[in-house]
Amino acid sequence: MLLNLKEILSVAKENHFAIGAFNTSDLALVRAVVEQAEASNTPAILQFAPGEFKYATPYFFRYVTERLKASKVPFALHLDHGKSIEECAAAIQAGFTSVMFDGSLLPLAENINQTRQIVEFAHRFDVSVEAEIGTIGSMSNSDEGGVENITYTKAEEVVDFVEATGCDALAIAIGTAHGIYPKGFRPKLQLELLTEINKAATVPLVLHGGSDNPDDEIAKACQIGIQKVNISSDIKQVFFKKVNEIYTETGNFMPPQVFNPSILEVRKTVQEKMELFGSSGKATYY
């Protein structure tokens, strides 16, 4: 079944678990997430950053939307880090059920203004909107972007921002970064800040940059009040590592023989994340 973000996250918030939102750039990664979600009876979110959306082309999403609608497991199809109403509109036209408008680098008043405009537009089509205050770090040339110096979300701004914009979910900055962390670097999530934000928040909270963080901190964040965790680098790294391994060892370049084993490897990582977030088996809640 294909739900919007508000529908799929409201159940997670009510039942105190988080849902994995996986950046699935192409057919192989879509298959890995969808097939593992179905095998484990787990809700999941497929998401595409703008560069991934353009790479896949809007025509690809005819297949994706039909595949998700045909499933008994709940899914949402989400645009990650849209930077303009044009990008959000293109995703909505392609069948996405939710979009993120990332105005985090704008002055707060302008972020509120543009987010509100996109919310008003998206809600006409029953499409949910994720917004962001605070900034996420960047450790690589990830398509999702990021900044060198993180600006942490302020708990006191959350209520006013949500009320002013009408957004359906809120991405917050508590210390994560997009991409894989350099060797020896250990991030530390500000879990006390998350606790403060969660007390103030009236909408589901989103954690960006969920890859390559300590499992215990991610699990604790989900227990405290995160309902959506974004995963991109972790599954892509596993996929291409397996592709490279097969080609290097065998010289095989036939897609089914290279990609099918790689999909199975990604499925293992997807399952690990679902268990970490507490969502594995939770499709029965819908």
Side-chain angles (χ1 to χ4, degrees), residues 120-170:
E120 291 172 353
F121 174 77
H123 281 183
R124 297 177 198 169
F125 304 96
D126 196 29
V127 170
S128 302
V129 177
E130 175 187 328
E132 181 176 336
I133 50 177
T135 55
I136 310 299
S138 179
M139 291 292 175
S140 70
N141 58 348
S142 64
D143 193 54
E144 296 89 350
V147 298
E148 184 176 349
N149 296 309
I150 295 170
T151 301
Y152 291 99
T153 302
K154 298 177 182 177
E156 60 269 22
E157 293 177 348
V158 168
V159 174
D160 291 342
F161 184 90
V162 172
E163 289 181 353
T165 62
C167 66
D168 303 293
L170 186 65

mmCIF file of all heavy atoms in Angstrom, residues 120-170:
data_model
loop_
_atom_site.group_PDB
_atom_site.id
_atom_site.type_symbol
_atom_site.label_atom_id
_atom_site.label_comp_id
_atom_site.label_asym_id
_atom_site.label_seq_id
_atom_site.Cartn_x
_atom_site.Cartn_y
_atom_site.Cartn_z
ATOM 1 N N GLU A 120 1.010 24.443 1.528
ATOM 2 C CA GLU A 120 -0.306 24.771 0.967
ATOM 3 C C GLU A 120 -0.494 24.134 -0.401
ATOM 4 O O GLU A 120 -1.580 23.629 -0.727
ATOM 5 C CB GLU A 120 -0.466 26.293 0.875
ATOM 6 C CG GLU A 120 -0.578 26.972 2.245
ATOM 7 C CD GLU A 120 -0.547 28.493 2.143
ATOM 8 O OE1 GLU A 120 -0.302 29.015 1.031
ATOM 9 O OE2 GLU A 120 -0.752 29.157 3.187
ATOM 10 N N PHE A 121 0.557 24.122 -1.207
ATOM 11 C CA PHE A 121 0.487 23.517 -2.541
ATOM 12 C C PHE A 121 0.361 22.001 -2.437
ATOM 13 O O PHE A 121 -0.516 21.383 -3.052
ATOM 14 C CB PHE A 121 1.744 23.887 -3.336
ATOM 15 C CG PHE A 121 1.842 23.206 -4.672
ATOM 16 C CD1 PHE A 121 1.087 23.628 -5.745
ATOM 17 C CD2 PHE A 121 2.696 22.121 -4.841
ATOM 18 C CE1 PHE A 121 1.170 22.997 -6.970
ATOM 19 C CE2 PHE A 121 2.800 21.483 -6.064
ATOM 20 C CZ PHE A 121 2.026 21.924 -7.136
ATOM 21 N N ALA A 122 1.221 21.369 -1.652
ATOM 22 C CA ALA A 122 1.261 19.905 -1.567
ATOM 23 C C ALA A 122 -0.014 19.329 -0.972
ATOM 24 O O ALA A 122 -0.505 18.285 -1.424
ATOM 25 C CB ALA A 122 2.476 19.465 -0.750
ATOM 26 N N HIS A 123 -0.561 19.998 0.029
ATOM 27 C CA HIS A 123 -1.750 19.477 0.695
ATOM 28 C C HIS A 123 -2.962 19.423 -0.232
ATOM 29 O O HIS A 123 -3.894 18.653 0.020
ATOM 30 C CB HIS A 123 -2.057 20.299 1.940
ATOM 31 C CG HIS A 123 -1.181 19.946 3.108
ATOM 32 N ND1 HIS A 123 -1.330 20.527 4.358
ATOM 33 C CD2 HIS A 123 -0.141 19.076 3.227
ATOM 34 C CE1 HIS A 123 -0.426 20.031 5.182
ATOM 35 N NE2 HIS A 123 0.311 19.147 4.513
ATOM 36 N N ARG A 124 -2.955 20.200 -1.291
ATOM 37 C CA ARG A 124 -4.050 20.124 -2.273
ATOM 38 C C ARG A 124 -4.109 18.751 -2.917
ATOM 39 O O ARG A 124 -5.159 18.316 -3.394
ATOM 40 C CB ARG A 124 -3.854 21.177 -3.370
ATOM 41 C CG ARG A 124 -3.885 22.619 -2.912
ATOM 42 C CD ARG A 124 -3.603 23.533 -4.094
ATOM 43 N NE ARG A 124 -3.202 24.857 -3.675
ATOM 44 C CZ ARG A 124 -2.692 25.780 -4.481
ATOM 45 N NH1 ARG A 124 -2.524 25.498 -5.774
ATOM 46 N NH2 ARG A 124 -2.352 26.968 -4.032
ATOM 47 N N PHE A 125 -2.962 18.056 -2.951
ATOM 48 C CA PHE A 125 -2.871 16.757 -3.605
ATOM 49 C C PHE A 125 -2.729 15.613 -2.592
ATOM 50 O O PHE A 125 -2.359 14.507 -2.969
ATOM 51 C CB PHE A 125 -1.677 16.756 -4.570
ATOM 52 C CG PHE A 125 -1.721 17.860 -5.579
ATOM 53 C CD1 PHE A 125 -1.034 19.056 -5.352
ATOM 54 C CD2 PHE A 125 -2.476 17.741 -6.742
ATOM 55 C CE1 PHE A 125 -1.078 20.092 -6.280
ATOM 56 C CE2 PHE A 125 -2.520 18.773 -7.661
ATOM 57 C CZ PHE A 125 -1.823 19.950 -7.437
ATOM 58 N N ASP A 126 -3.024 15.906 -1.321
ATOM 59 C CA ASP A 126 -2.898 14.919 -0.244
ATOM 60 C C ASP A 126 -1.458 14.429 -0.113
ATOM 61 O O ASP A 126 -1.208 13.263 0.215
ATOM 62 C CB ASP A 126 -3.848 13.734 -0.473
ATOM 63 C CG ASP A 126 -4.034 12.894 0.789
ATOM 64 O OD1 ASP A 126 -3.923 13.451 1.895
ATOM 65 O OD2 ASP A 126 -4.273 11.673 0.654
ATOM 66 N N VAL A 127 -0.515 15.306 -0.383
ATOM 67 C CA VAL A 127 0.906 15.007 -0.268
ATOM 68 C C VAL A 127 1.448 15.664 1.005
ATOM 69 O O VAL A 127 1.172 16.839 1.265
ATOM 70 C CB VAL A 127 1.680 15.504 -1.502
ATOM 71 C CG1 VAL A 127 3.185 15.420 -1.290
ATOM 72 C CG2 VAL A 127 1.268 14.706 -2.739
ATOM 73 N N SER A 128 2.178 14.918 1.792
ATOM 74 C CA SER A 128 2.745 15.430 3.033
ATOM 75 C C SER A 128 4.026 16.210 2.772
ATOM 76 O O SER A 128 4.684 16.026 1.744
ATOM 77 C CB SER A 128 3.047 14.274 3.994
ATOM 78 O OG SER A 128 1.891 13.524 4.280
ATOM 79 N N VAL A 129 4.393 17.044 3.753
ATOM 80 C CA VAL A 129 5.612 17.847 3.630
ATOM 81 C C VAL A 129 6.466 17.704 4.884
ATOM 82 O O VAL A 129 5.992 17.895 6.003
ATOM 83 C CB VAL A 129 5.283 19.333 3.400
ATOM 84 C CG1 VAL A 129 6.578 20.161 3.343
ATOM 85 C CG2 VAL A 129 4.484 19.520 2.112
ATOM 86 N N GLU A 130 7.714 17.358 4.666
ATOM 87 C CA GLU A 130 8.733 17.373 5.717
ATOM 88 C C GLU A 130 9.522 18.667 5.578
ATOM 89 O O GLU A 130 9.878 19.067 4.463
ATOM 90 C CB GLU A 130 9.668 16.179 5.559
ATOM 91 C CG GLU A 130 10.840 16.164 6.530
ATOM 92 C CD GLU A 130 11.835 15.046 6.219
ATOM 93 O OE1 GLU A 130 11.407 13.982 5.725
ATOM 94 O OE2 GLU A 130 13.045 15.250 6.459
ATOM 95 N N ALA A 131 9.775 19.334 6.689
ATOM 96 C CA ALA A 131 10.551 20.574 6.684
ATOM 97 C C ALA A 131 11.795 20.366 7.550
ATOM 98 O O ALA A 131 11.988 19.301 8.143
ATOM 99 C CB ALA A 131 9.704 21.727 7.202
ATOM 100 N N GLU A 132 12.629 21.386 7.623
ATOM 101 C CA GLU A 132 13.852 21.267 8.420
ATOM 102 C C GLU A 132 14.226 22.600 9.047
ATOM 103 O O GLU A 132 14.175 23.646 8.397
ATOM 104 C CB GLU A 132 15.021 20.771 7.559
ATOM 105 C CG GLU A 132 16.319 20.592 8.345
ATOM 106 C CD GLU A 132 17.454 20.019 7.510
ATOM 107 O OE1 GLU A 132 17.180 19.353 6.497
ATOM 108 O OE2 GLU A 132 18.623 20.240 7.882
ATOM 109 N N ILE A 133 14.613 22.550 10.320
ATOM 110 C CA ILE A 133 15.271 23.690 10.961
ATOM 111 C C ILE A 133 16.527 23.173 11.648
ATOM 112 O O ILE A 133 16.558 22.068 12.172
ATOM 113 C CB ILE A 133 14.356 24.436 11.963
ATOM 114 C CG1 ILE A 133 13.688 23.478 12.943
ATOM 115 C CG2 ILE A 133 13.321 25.256 11.244
ATOM 116 C CD1 ILE A 133 12.846 24.198 13.994
ATOM 117 N N GLY A 134 17.562 23.980 11.604
ATOM 118 C CA GLY A 134 18.892 23.512 11.967
ATOM 119 C C GLY A 134 19.545 22.979 10.712
ATOM 120 O O GLY A 134 18.903 22.842 9.661
ATOM 121 N N THR A 135 20.830 22.667 10.763
ATOM 122 C CA THR A 135 21.527 22.198 9.566
ATOM 123 C C THR A 135 22.255 20.887 9.835
ATOM 124 O O THR A 135 22.784 20.667 10.929
ATOM 125 C CB THR A 135 22.552 23.238 9.070
ATOM 126 O OG1 THR A 135 23.459 23.564 10.143
ATOM 127 C CG2 THR A 135 21.860 24.501 8.599
ATOM 128 N N ILE A 136 22.281 20.035 8.809
ATOM 129 C CA ILE A 136 22.949 18.739 8.877
ATOM 130 C C ILE A 136 24.366 18.898 8.337
ATOM 131 O O ILE A 136 24.596 19.617 7.366
ATOM 132 C CB ILE A 136 22.187 17.694 8.032
ATOM 133 C CG1 ILE A 136 20.700 17.705 8.388
ATOM 134 C CG2 ILE A 136 22.790 16.307 8.218
ATOM 135 C CD1 ILE A 136 20.381 17.359 9.813
ATOM 136 N N GLY A 137 25.311 18.206 8.952
ATOM 137 C CA GLY A 137 26.683 18.252 8.471
ATOM 138 C C GLY A 137 26.852 17.430 7.206
ATOM 139 O O GLY A 137 25.968 16.684 6.780
ATOM 140 N N SER A 138 28.003 17.558 6.566
ATOM 141 C CA SER A 138 28.312 16.776 5.379
ATOM 142 C C SER A 138 29.730 16.239 5.487
ATOM 143 O O SER A 138 30.667 16.993 5.740
ATOM 144 C CB SER A 138 28.179 17.618 4.107
ATOM 145 O OG SER A 138 28.504 16.865 2.966
ATOM 146 N N MET A 139 29.882 14.929 5.268
ATOM 147 C CA MET A 139 31.185 14.283 5.326
ATOM 148 C C MET A 139 31.659 13.835 3.949
ATOM 149 O O MET A 139 32.714 13.251 3.812
ATOM 150 C CB MET A 139 31.131 13.070 6.263
ATOM 151 C CG MET A 139 30.966 13.442 7.719
ATOM 152 S SD MET A 139 32.418 14.279 8.374
ATOM 153 C CE MET A 139 31.858 14.705 10.020
ATOM 154 N N SER A 140 30.866 14.044 2.911
ATOM 155 C CA SER A 140 31.224 13.570 1.584
ATOM 156 C C SER A 140 30.486 14.407 0.558
ATOM 157 O O SER A 140 29.773 15.345 0.892
ATOM 158 C CB SER A 140 30.848 12.099 1.430
ATOM 159 O OG SER A 140 29.440 11.971 1.394
ATOM 160 N N ASN A 141 30.626 14.024 -0.701
ATOM 161 C CA ASN A 141 29.908 14.726 -1.762
ATOM 162 C C ASN A 141 28.550 14.086 -1.983
ATOM 163 O O ASN A 141 28.128 13.837 -3.099
ATOM 164 C CB ASN A 141 30.712 14.704 -3.075
ATOM 165 C CG ASN A 141 31.016 13.291 -3.541
ATOM 166 O OD1 ASN A 141 30.825 12.331 -2.799
ATOM 167 N ND2 ASN A 141 31.490 13.174 -4.771
ATOM 168 N N SER A 142 27.840 13.830 -0.889
ATOM 169 C CA SER A 142 26.532 13.201 -0.968
ATOM 170 C C SER A 142 25.562 14.102 -1.712
ATOM 171 O O SER A 142 25.657 15.325 -1.673
ATOM 172 C CB SER A 142 25.994 12.926 0.445
ATOM 173 O OG SER A 142 25.782 14.147 1.131
ATOM 174 N N ASP A 143 24.614 13.468 -2.383
ATOM 175 C CA ASP A 143 23.622 14.221 -3.143
ATOM 176 C C ASP A 143 22.704 15.014 -2.224
ATOM 177 O O ASP A 143 22.073 15.984 -2.628
ATOM 178 C CB ASP A 143 22.794 13.255 -4.006
ATOM 179 C CG ASP A 143 21.975 13.977 -5.056
ATOM 180 O OD1 ASP A 143 22.557 14.751 -5.835
ATOM 181 O OD2 ASP A 143 20.747 13.788 -5.082
ATOM 182 N N GLU A 144 22.643 14.609 -0.943
ATOM 183 C CA GLU A 144 21.752 15.281 0.001
ATOM 184 C C GLU A 144 22.317 16.615 0.486
ATOM 185 O O GLU A 144 21.599 17.434 1.033
ATOM 186 C CB GLU A 144 21.488 14.366 1.211
ATOM 187 C CG GLU A 144 20.744 13.088 0.857
ATOM 188 C CD GLU A 144 21.684 11.958 0.476
ATOM 189 O OE1 GLU A 144 22.903 12.214 0.299
ATOM 190 O OE2 GLU A 144 21.216 10.815 0.356
ATOM 191 N N GLY A 145 23.627 16.820 0.335
ATOM 192 C CA GLY A 145 24.228 18.090 0.744
ATOM 193 C C GLY A 145 24.515 18.127 2.232
ATOM 194 O O GLY A 145 24.515 17.124 2.925
ATOM 195 N N GLY A 146 24.760 19.327 2.745
ATOM 196 C CA GLY A 146 25.094 19.502 4.145
ATOM 197 C C GLY A 146 26.066 20.661 4.305
ATOM 198 O O GLY A 146 26.460 21.300 3.331
ATOM 199 N N VAL A 147 26.415 20.964 5.528
ATOM 200 C CA VAL A 147 27.296 22.086 5.813
ATOM 201 C C VAL A 147 28.465 21.616 6.662
ATOM 202 O O VAL A 147 28.437 20.540 7.262
ATOM 203 C CB VAL A 147 26.547 23.217 6.555
ATOM 204 C CG1 VAL A 147 25.427 23.771 5.694
ATOM 205 C CG2 VAL A 147 25.993 22.721 7.885
ATOM 206 N N GLU A 148 29.518 22.430 6.717
ATOM 207 C CA GLU A 148 30.691 22.066 7.500
ATOM 208 C C GLU A 148 30.431 22.212 8.985
ATOM 209 O O GLU A 148 30.856 21.379 9.791
ATOM 210 C CB GLU A 148 31.877 22.946 7.087
ATOM 211 C CG GLU A 148 33.171 22.576 7.790
ATOM 212 C CD GLU A 148 34.346 23.392 7.280
ATOM 213 O OE1 GLU A 148 34.205 24.082 6.244
ATOM 214 O OE2 GLU A 148 35.408 23.340 7.921
ATOM 215 N N ASN A 149 29.725 23.272 9.368
ATOM 216 C CA ASN A 149 29.457 23.525 10.787
ATOM 217 C C ASN A 149 27.959 23.396 11.057
ATOM 218 O O ASN A 149 27.149 24.149 10.507
ATOM 219 C CB ASN A 149 29.936 24.924 11.175
ATOM 220 C CG ASN A 149 31.447 25.059 11.036
ATOM 221 O OD1 ASN A 149 32.197 24.242 11.551
ATOM 222 N ND2 ASN A 149 31.886 26.084 10.325
ATOM 223 N N ILE A 150 27.608 22.435 11.889
ATOM 224 C CA ILE A 150 26.201 22.155 12.187
ATOM 225 C C ILE A 150 25.593 23.264 13.031
ATOM 226 O O ILE A 150 26.214 23.761 13.976
ATOM 227 C CB ILE A 150 26.082 20.811 12.932
ATOM 228 C CG1 ILE A 150 26.532 19.672 12.026
ATOM 229 C CG2 ILE A 150 24.672 20.580 13.440
ATOM 230 C CD1 ILE A 150 26.674 18.342 12.747
ATOM 231 N N THR A 151 24.355 23.663 12.686
ATOM 232 C CA THR A 151 23.564 24.541 13.532
ATOM 233 C C THR A 151 22.495 23.688 14.180
ATOM 234 O O THR A 151 21.616 23.151 13.501
ATOM 235 C CB THR A 151 22.891 25.663 12.703
ATOM 236 O OG1 THR A 151 23.896 26.427 12.039
ATOM 237 C CG2 THR A 151 22.065 26.573 13.606
ATOM 238 N N TYR A 152 22.568 23.515 15.479
ATOM 239 C CA TYR A 152 21.623 22.635 16.162
ATOM 240 C C TYR A 152 20.230 23.260 16.211
ATOM 241 O O TYR A 152 20.080 24.474 16.348
ATOM 242 C CB TYR A 152 22.112 22.338 17.584
ATOM 243 C CG TYR A 152 23.350 21.479 17.620
ATOM 244 C CD1 TYR A 152 24.608 22.050 17.787
ATOM 245 C CD2 TYR A 152 23.265 20.106 17.468
ATOM 246 C CE1 TYR A 152 25.750 21.261 17.806
ATOM 247 C CE2 TYR A 152 24.400 19.303 17.487
ATOM 248 C CZ TYR A 152 25.639 19.893 17.653
ATOM 249 O OH TYR A 152 26.767 19.112 17.660
ATOM 250 N N THR A 153 19.227 22.395 16.100
ATOM 251 C CA THR A 153 17.844 22.845 16.212
ATOM 252 C C THR A 153 17.583 23.327 17.633
ATOM 253 O O THR A 153 18.010 22.692 18.606
ATOM 254 C CB THR A 153 16.878 21.694 15.870
ATOM 255 O OG1 THR A 153 17.161 21.235 14.544
ATOM 256 C CG2 THR A 153 15.430 22.147 15.950
ATOM 257 N N LYS A 154 16.869 24.429 17.747
ATOM 258 C CA LYS A 154 16.511 24.958 19.057
ATOM 259 C C LYS A 154 15.096 24.513 19.414
ATOM 260 O O LYS A 154 14.166 24.713 18.637
ATOM 261 C CB LYS A 154 16.588 26.489 19.048
ATOM 262 C CG LYS A 154 17.988 27.031 18.761
ATOM 263 C CD LYS A 154 17.982 28.549 18.695
ATOM 264 C CE LYS A 154 19.375 29.083 18.366
ATOM 265 N NZ LYS A 154 19.388 30.562 18.228
ATOM 266 N N ALA A 155 14.965 23.901 20.583
ATOM 267 C CA ALA A 155 13.672 23.364 20.994
ATOM 268 C C ALA A 155 12.587 24.435 21.010
ATOM 269 O O ALA A 155 11.441 24.181 20.634
ATOM 270 C CB ALA A 155 13.796 22.715 22.373
ATOM 271 N N GLU A 156 12.968 25.651 21.389
ATOM 272 C CA GLU A 156 11.969 26.718 21.498
ATOM 273 C C GLU A 156 11.441 27.184 20.151
ATOM 274 O O GLU A 156 10.389 27.833 20.079
ATOM 275 C CB GLU A 156 12.536 27.915 22.278
ATOM 276 C CG GLU A 156 13.773 28.559 21.669
ATOM 277 C CD GLU A 156 15.067 27.976 22.172
ATOM 278 O OE1 GLU A 156 15.065 26.830 22.654
ATOM 279 O OE2 GLU A 156 16.095 28.681 22.081
ATOM 280 N N GLU A 157 12.160 26.877 19.065
ATOM 281 C CA GLU A 157 11.702 27.280 17.736
ATOM 282 C C GLU A 157 10.747 26.271 17.095
ATOM 283 O O GLU A 157 10.035 26.600 16.147
ATOM 284 C CB GLU A 157 12.899 27.481 16.803
ATOM 285 C CG GLU A 157 13.784 28.651 17.160
ATOM 286 C CD GLU A 157 14.990 28.759 16.233
ATOM 287 O OE1 GLU A 157 15.260 27.812 15.464
ATOM 288 O OE2 GLU A 157 15.660 29.812 16.297
ATOM 289 N N VAL A 158 10.736 25.056 17.628
ATOM 290 C CA VAL A 158 10.012 23.970 16.973
ATOM 291 C C VAL A 158 8.504 24.221 16.930
ATOM 292 O O VAL A 158 7.868 24.097 15.874
ATOM 293 C CB VAL A 158 10.316 22.628 17.669
ATOM 294 C CG1 VAL A 158 9.368 21.535 17.198
ATOM 295 C CG2 VAL A 158 11.758 22.220 17.406
ATOM 296 N N VAL A 159 7.905 24.568 18.056
ATOM 297 C CA VAL A 159 6.448 24.756 18.112
ATOM 298 C C VAL A 159 6.007 25.866 17.176
ATOM 299 O O VAL A 159 5.072 25.692 16.377
ATOM 300 C CB VAL A 159 5.993 25.063 19.551
ATOM 301 C CG1 VAL A 159 4.507 25.409 19.569
ATOM 302 C CG2 VAL A 159 6.256 23.875 20.457
ATOM 303 N N ASP A 160 6.675 27.003 17.227
ATOM 304 C CA ASP A 160 6.296 28.141 16.375
ATOM 305 C C ASP A 160 6.473 27.797 14.897
ATOM 306 O O ASP A 160 5.638 28.176 14.064
ATOM 307 C CB ASP A 160 7.141 29.368 16.724
ATOM 308 C CG ASP A 160 6.800 29.937 18.093
ATOM 309 O OD1 ASP A 160 5.715 29.606 18.611
ATOM 310 O OD2 ASP A 160 7.619 30.694 18.633
ATOM 311 N N PHE A 161 7.549 27.078 14.566
ATOM 312 C CA PHE A 161 7.806 26.729 13.163
ATOM 313 C C PHE A 161 6.711 25.824 12.626
ATOM 314 O O PHE A 161 6.189 26.038 11.531
ATOM 315 C CB PHE A 161 9.167 26.046 13.039
ATOM 316 C CG PHE A 161 9.564 25.746 11.623
ATOM 317 C CD1 PHE A 161 10.287 26.671 10.879
ATOM 318 C CD2 PHE A 161 9.213 24.544 11.011
ATOM 319 C CE1 PHE A 161 10.653 26.407 9.559
ATOM 320 C CE2 PHE A 161 9.572 24.268 9.702
ATOM 321 C CZ PHE A 161 10.291 25.204 8.980
ATOM 322 N N VAL A 162 6.363 24.800 13.384
ATOM 323 C CA VAL A 162 5.333 23.853 12.930
ATOM 324 C C VAL A 162 3.983 24.547 12.803
ATOM 325 O O VAL A 162 3.253 24.352 11.819
ATOM 326 C CB VAL A 162 5.245 22.648 13.885
ATOM 327 C CG1 VAL A 162 4.046 21.768 13.539
ATOM 328 C CG2 VAL A 162 6.529 21.828 13.831
ATOM 329 N N GLU A 163 3.649 25.376 13.766
ATOM 330 C CA GLU A 163 2.368 26.094 13.712
ATOM 331 C C GLU A 163 2.321 27.061 12.536
ATOM 332 O O GLU A 163 1.297 27.197 11.863
ATOM 333 C CB GLU A 163 2.130 26.848 15.022
ATOM 334 C CG GLU A 163 1.808 25.940 16.201
ATOM 335 C CD GLU A 163 1.544 26.728 17.474
ATOM 336 O OE1 GLU A 163 1.751 27.970 17.459
ATOM 337 O OE2 GLU A 163 1.145 26.116 18.474
ATOM 338 N N ALA A 164 3.430 27.717 12.266
ATOM 339 C CA ALA A 164 3.471 28.720 11.199
ATOM 340 C C ALA A 164 3.464 28.097 9.812
ATOM 341 O O ALA A 164 2.964 28.703 8.859
ATOM 342 C CB ALA A 164 4.697 29.609 11.361
ATOM 343 N N THR A 165 4.009 26.897 9.685
ATOM 344 C CA THR A 165 4.132 26.292 8.353
ATOM 345 C C THR A 165 3.083 25.238 8.053
ATOM 346 O O THR A 165 2.741 25.016 6.891
ATOM 347 C CB THR A 165 5.509 25.624 8.186
ATOM 348 O OG1 THR A 165 5.645 24.557 9.145
ATOM 349 C CG2 THR A 165 6.638 26.642 8.379
ATOM 350 N N GLY A 166 2.597 24.546 9.083
ATOM 351 C CA GLY A 166 1.665 23.445 8.856
ATOM 352 C C GLY A 166 2.335 22.189 8.344
ATOM 353 O O GLY A 166 1.672 21.293 7.806
ATOM 354 N N CYS A 167 3.658 22.078 8.502
ATOM 355 C CA CYS A 167 4.387 20.907 7.999
ATOM 356 C C CYS A 167 3.939 19.647 8.741
ATOM 357 O O CYS A 167 3.435 19.707 9.863
ATOM 358 C CB CYS A 167 5.891 21.107 8.124
ATOM 359 S SG CYS A 167 6.517 21.200 9.809
ATOM 360 N N ASP A 168 4.145 18.503 8.107
ATOM 361 C CA ASP A 168 3.674 17.225 8.634
ATOM 362 C C ASP A 168 4.760 16.446 9.374
ATOM 363 O O ASP A 168 4.457 15.497 10.102
ATOM 364 C CB ASP A 168 3.145 16.359 7.494
ATOM 365 C CG ASP A 168 2.031 17.053 6.730
ATOM 366 O OD1 ASP A 168 0.951 17.245 7.318
ATOM 367 O OD2 ASP A 168 2.251 17.424 5.554
ATOM 368 N N ALA A 169 6.009 16.787 9.155
ATOM 369 C CA ALA A 169 7.143 16.156 9.834
ATOM 370 C C ALA A 169 8.283 17.163 9.850
ATOM 371 O O ALA A 169 8.339 18.058 9.000
ATOM 372 C CB ALA A 169 7.570 14.868 9.130
ATOM 373 N N LEU A 170 9.181 17.006 10.810
ATOM 374 C CA LEU A 170 10.248 17.994 10.965
ATOM 375 C C LEU A 170 11.602 17.318 11.123
ATOM 376 O O LEU A 170 11.812 16.510 12.035
ATOM 377 C CB LEU A 170 9.983 18.874 12.178
ATOM 378 C CG LEU A 170 10.942 20.047 12.384
ATOM 379 C CD1 LEU A 170 10.813 21.066 11.247
ATOM 380 C CD2 LEU A 170 10.674 20.726 13.730
#
